[in-house]
Amino acid sequence: ADGLNHSLVWFDGYLYASSQTTVYRWPYPATGVTEEIVTPPEVVVNNMSDGPTLHTSRALKFLPDGILYVQNGARWNVDDDSYLAVIRRFD
């Protein structure tokens, strides 16, 4: 996957990573792997905002109930656009 830039998290047998616009996952057993993961990633979330911004990383967090939260950085350090400076929830 191109543009992976910040978050990496393991949850329920999958390794998740994020780019500015997309959250991907790969199968990853709790016992780990001993060789390179070569399977193509599955797209979990796509079309997240990729507008002009200085804060392009996307932190990922799962709660125990399986809900995924994705942080979306603000355009600037002070930003009146609430569409960008948010934490989004995905089932």
Side-chain angles (χ1 to χ4, degrees):
D2 293 330
L4 300 180
N5 65 346
H6 182 74
S7 196
L8 188 65
V9 65
W10 181 85
F11 182 78
D12 199 25
Y14 288 92
L15 184 65
Y16 291 78
S18 63
S19 72
Q20 187 173 354
T21 61
T22 309
V23 176
Y24 303 94
R25 77 177 187 178
W26 295 263
Y28 195 95
T31 56
V33 294
T34 58
E35 56 192 53
E36 182 180 357
I37 298 174
V38 295
T39 58
E42 177 183 351
V43 173
V44 177
V45 178
N46 62 1
N47 297 323
M48 291 187 293
S49 173
D50 66 345
T53 179
L54 297 176
H55 306 282
T56 60
S57 62
R58 304 287 179 255
L60 306 176
K61 175 71 176 172
F62 277 96
L63 294 186
D65 61 3
I67 301 296
L68 170 64
Y69 291 86
V70 180
Q71 167 269 334
N72 193 41
R75 184 173 315 187
W76 312 108
N77 289 334
V78 176
D79 192 347
D80 295 331
D81 185 351
S82 63
Y83 178 75
L84 292 175
V86 297
I87 298 174
R88 296 193 174 144
R89 175 185 159 167
F90 299 93
D91 293 332

